[in-house]
Amino acid sequence: MEEVPHDCPGADSAQAGRGASCQGCPNQRLCASGAGAAADPAIEEIKEKMKSVKHKILVLSGKGGVGKSTFSAHLAHGLAEDENTQVALLDIDICGPSIPKIMGLEGEQVHQSGSGWSPVFLEDNLGVMSVGFLLSSPDDAVIWRGPKKNGMIKQFLRDVDWGGVDYLIVDTPPGTSDEHLSVVQYLAAAHIDGAVIITTPQEVSLQDVRKEISFCHKVKLPIIGVVENMSGFICPKCQKESQIFPPTTGGAEAMCQDLKIPLLGKVPLDPRIGKSCDKGQSFLVEAPDSPATVAYRSIIQRIQEFCSQRLPEGENLVGS
Amino acid sequence: MKSVKHKILVLSGKGGVGKSTFSAHLAHGLAEDENTQVALLDIDICGPSIPKIMGLEGEQVHQSGSGWSPVFLEDNLGVMSVGFLLSSPDDAVIWRGPKKNGMIKQFLRDVDWGGVDYLIVDTPPGTSDEHLSVVQYLAAAHIDGAVIITTPQEVSLQDVRKEISFCHKVKLPIIGVVENMSGFICPKCQKESQIFPPTTGGAEAMCQDLKIPLLGKVPLDPRIGKSCDKGQSFLVEAPDSPATVAYRSIIQRIQEFCSQRLPEGENLVGS
């Protein structure tokens, strides 16, 4: 399904094909026949594809600019430091795909083969996919409406040949809209281990993050925990700490206590993080001494522990 | 839209750069003149921050014969956001594109703003449904232009260049670019740090490159975040801050841009 009218009631709604705005839509007959309400065969295909992927982690935030892509990239880097761990990083931010730059892979191309699309490999054990790799120029705007974005996400999940993967990390755009609904729906049969939710300390961020947590509950997506980024800044000149984004309502700590969700950790601001991202380098390697690196590593370990308690489908849980 | 003289969109390809903060303070700044009627429309359906930033959480909109009435912060400053339509601020609005578009159309068509000098439209990050819709719905009504917000690092500028591309594609004039989070002065030692380093020259280099005006650079100030969380105007709470000085200068440049573009039907005198 390609272009849809502005007031499209949705292919799976009771009004599909029957609403006033359906007149003239090329899909009107299809929708009116009830075909839209049938399950998308891609869901089964994706389930098959995902059988070779042990753990799937979504990185979410209601709020933009809190560090989702930065975190996703460094979660991938951290996990892939063990050569025996196969890591896949999927960027489903169609409008603002930051992952190619942050991973130092700008200008790389994806290839198609008989077994599907091949991701771009940063290391033998770290593969990356993003719409950024499909653009002719990094300044090209991808100005797509929801249905077209959903189609791309479906292709990413169904057609990318990741090979055997221990951890698939999915970086998402801000919000609770098409991309988020699609990735949860398409992966529905394949079991997502859980979501890591990123925030910054101020209430304006937490407000959007509570909405994201609400979304997770609604779609029955387990929450691994919350990461609070930009949590304080230590001035490199005088070593004193400032709260640049003051936690006026207690920050993520208070919110997590309130909602009974684990706080995985607090990451302070460090100008070297922004520099590493712009240069496409791993901050964990560039600044191993930074308190931010220490925080990241502790958070990554907690995520690994969470995942190892959830064994791949079909295996029994030993102990808990 | 005939009763609305000037329409300004606040855009950014990137999230979290300060669009809503800027939109709110542009509204505050313009409305300080009691004779200027200001309207602030928040079309971020998933993450509507404007009610909190304007200190209007919990307010309700009313429907009357002439349409929806916005929430008035002052006699001359009206606000509309999907946030006012939610039963609880933690409710997630989980809508796909077509439904979001429907809401934006209602906001533009059914809100009874009255006579307005400046309509400011705050947008979510990206170049998708909301942006296409607001441009398409306002196509016949003439948008004065877009103010594009960024932070100094290349990861932001990359998304902002896409937004500029979008503006060119839909023939939306660009008033200029605002660089937020442009340096931080440590309150303890008064020395400056670049928290989000401008590794590729920041907005200044990008604007020179693309021949677009740089309206100004706003430094980080923890009082901005505090004011937003408390729903107060930072311009009033911290009038001495370098950030306030920067904001006021940017607001003035925007007013000058708009005053050169007269409402439809009037001839331009000079240029």
Side-chain angles (χ1 to χ4, degrees):
Chain A
M1 291 171 76
E2 290 298 328
E3 292 308 318
V4 293
H6 289 174
D7 294 333
C8 165
D12 48 2
S13 103
Q15 284 300 307
R18 298 185 183 84
S21 43
C22 299
Q23 302 300 323
C25 172
N27 300 307
Q28 184 183 8
R29 225 181 239 176
L30 190 63
C31 285
S33 72
D40 189 334
I43 292 179
E44 272 305 304
E45 292 173 290
I46 290 168
K47 179 183 178 183
E48 274 308 302
K49 197 85 185 203
M50 288 290 136
K51 279 191 167 157
S52 61
V53 177
K54 274 199 195 138
H55 299 292
K56 302 157 206 74
I57 300 164
L58 298 199
V59 181
L60 303 175
S61 178
K63 189 90 185 70
V66 295
K68 285 178 294 310
S69 297
T70 304
F71 182 80
S72 301
H74 288 88
L75 176 59
H77 276 305
L79 291 170
E81 279 174 2
D82 173 5
E83 294 171 342
N84 296 319
T85 303
Q86 283 294 127
V87 182
L89 177 57
L90 172 59
D91 176 11
I92 62 166
D93 188 337
I94 309 287
C95 296
S98 306
I99 291 292
K101 168 160 280 302
I102 295 175
M103 300 298 280
L105 294 172
E106 276 195 305
E108 295 287 337
Q109 301 284 312
V110 304
H111 305 282
Q112 262 187 307
S113 71
S115 45
W117 293 7
S118 53
V120 176
F121 282 91
L122 179 65
E123 310 279 352
D124 285 343
N125 67 332
L126 176 46
V128 183
M129 179 57 76
S130 166
V131 81
F133 297 135
L134 307 175
L135 303 175
S136 11
S137 144
D139 296 351
D140 281 352
V142 179
I143 312 173
W144 293 354
R145 288 193 179 273
K148 208 164 167 186
K149 292 196 280 186
N150 299 338
M152 174 105 296
I153 291 166
K154 188 196 306 194
Q155 279 195 277
F156 277 160
L157 291 168
R158 186 188 59 197
D159 299 340
V160 172
D161 181 27
W162 297 105
V165 169
D166 294 295
Y167 293 95
L168 170 66
I169 301 157
V170 183
D171 183 34
T172 63
T176 50
S177 186
D178 290 87
E179 297 88 333
H180 312 85
L181 283 166
S182 294
V183 78
V184 167
Q185 281 172 3
Y186 288 133
L187 286 176
H191 284 289
I192 302 171
D193 289 56
V196 176
I197 304 188
I198 314 288
T199 186
T200 50
Q202 74 272 44
E203 177 58 25
V204 164
S205 287
L206 298 176
Q207 186 177 47
D208 284 353
V209 165
R210 287 195 201 89
K211 290 174 162 60
E212 197 72 23
I213 291 170
S214 235
F215 167 83
C216 291
H217 291 327
K218 275 201 174 155
V219 300
K220 300 191 182 10
L221 178 57
I223 295 174
I224 302 175
V226 171
V227 173
E228 184 183 85
N229 267 344
M230 309 198 197
S231 197
F233 172 64
I234 303 210
C235 172
K237 272 89 182 198
C238 70
Q239 309 308 320
K240 299 222 170 62
E241 190 180 18
S242 291
Q243 291 291 339
I244 301 209
F245 302 106
T248 56
T249 55
E253 200 156 355
M255 179 188 73
C256 286
Q257 264 177 12
D258 204 34
L259 300 178
K260 300 187 179 24
I261 288 173
L263 176 64
L264 295 174
K266 291 157 74 154
V267 185
L269 277 163
D270 183 326
R272 291 173 291 177
I273 300 178
K275 254 186 229 170
S276 295
C277 288
D278 275 5
K279 293 184 183 176
Q281 293 158 341
S282 168
F283 172 75
L284 309 176
V285 167
E286 293 302 300
D289 56 300
S290 166
T293 298
V294 175
Y296 266 137
R297 290 201 181 283
S298 154
I299 291 166
I300 291 172
Q301 192 170 331
R302 291 187 64 176
I303 292 172
Q304 281 176 290
E305 284 162 9
F306 179 96
C307 289
S308 64
Q309 290 175 3
R310 294 199 65 243
L311 295 168
E313 269 182 78
E315 296 182 32
N316 292 325
L317 282 169
V318 179
S320 171
Chain B
M1 286 291 137
K2 283 197 164 148
S3 60
V4 178
K5 275 200 194 139
H6 299 293
K7 303 158 205 73
I8 299 165
L9 298 198
V10 180
L11 302 176
S12 180
K14 188 92 186 67
V17 294
K19 284 177 294 309
S20 297
T21 304
F22 183 80
S23 301
H25 288 88
L26 176 59
H28 277 304
L30 292 169
E32 279 173 2
D33 173 5
E34 294 171 348
N35 297 319
T36 304
Q37 283 294 127
V38 181
L40 176 57
L41 172 59
D42 177 9
I43 62 165
D44 187 338
I45 310 286
C46 297
S49 305
I50 290 292
K52 167 161 281 301
I53 295 176
M54 299 299 282
L56 295 172
E57 277 195 303
E59 295 287 337
Q60 301 284 312
V61 303
H62 306 283
Q63 266 187 305
S64 72
S66 46
W68 293 7
S69 53
V71 177
F72 282 91
L73 179 64
E74 311 280 351
D75 286 342
N76 67 332
L77 176 45
V79 183
M80 180 56 76
S81 166
V82 82
F84 297 134
L85 307 174
L86 302 175
S87 7
S88 145
D90 297 351
D91 281 352
V93 179
I94 312 172
W95 292 354
R96 289 193 180 274
K99 208 164 164 184
K100 291 195 282 184
N101 300 336
M103 175 106 297
I104 291 166
K105 188 197 306 195
Q106 278 194 281
F107 277 160
L108 291 169
R109 186 188 61 198
D110 298 339
V111 173
D112 181 27
W113 296 105
V116 168
D117 294 293
Y118 292 95
L119 169 67
I120 300 157
V121 184
D122 184 33
T123 64
T127 49
S128 185
D129 289 88
E130 298 88 332
H131 313 85
L132 283 165
S133 293
V134 78
V135 167
Q136 283 172 359
Y137 289 133
L138 286 177
H142 284 289
I143 303 170
D144 289 56
V147 177
I148 303 188
I149 314 288
T150 185
T151 49
Q153 74 272 44
E154 177 58 24
V155 164
S156 286
L157 298 176
Q158 186 175 48
D159 285 352
V160 166
R161 287 194 201 93
K162 290 175 162 59
E163 198 72 25
I164 291 170
S165 235
F166 167 85
C167 290
H168 291 328
K169 274 200 176 153
V170 300
K171 301 193 179 12
L172 178 57
I174 296 173
I175 302 176
V177 172
V178 173
E179 184 183 84
N180 267 345
M181 307 199 199
S182 197
F184 172 64
I185 303 208
C186 173
K188 276 64 187 216
C189 70
Q190 308 308 321
K191 299 224 171 63
E192 191 181 16
S193 290
Q194 290 291 338
I195 301 207
F196 303 105
T199 56
T200 55
E204 200 156 355
M206 178 187 74
C207 287
Q208 265 177 10
D209 205 33
L210 301 178
K211 302 189 180 21
I212 288 173
L214 176 65
L215 296 175
K217 291 156 76 154
V218 185
L220 277 162
D221 184 324
R223 291 174 290 178
I224 300 179
K226 254 186 230 170
S227 296
C228 287
D229 276 5
K230 293 185 183 174
Q232 292 158 342
S233 167
F234 171 74
L235 309 176
V236 167
E237 293 300 300
D240 55 300
S241 165
T244 298
V245 174
Y247 267 135
R248 290 202 181 285
S249 153
I250 292 165
I251 292 171
Q252 191 171 331
R253 289 187 67 175
I254 293 171
Q255 280 175 290
E256 285 162 7
F257 179 95
C258 289
S259 65
Q260 288 175 3
R261 296 198 64 244
L262 295 168
E264 271 184 77
E266 295 183 32
N267 291 325
L268 283 167
V269 180
S271 170

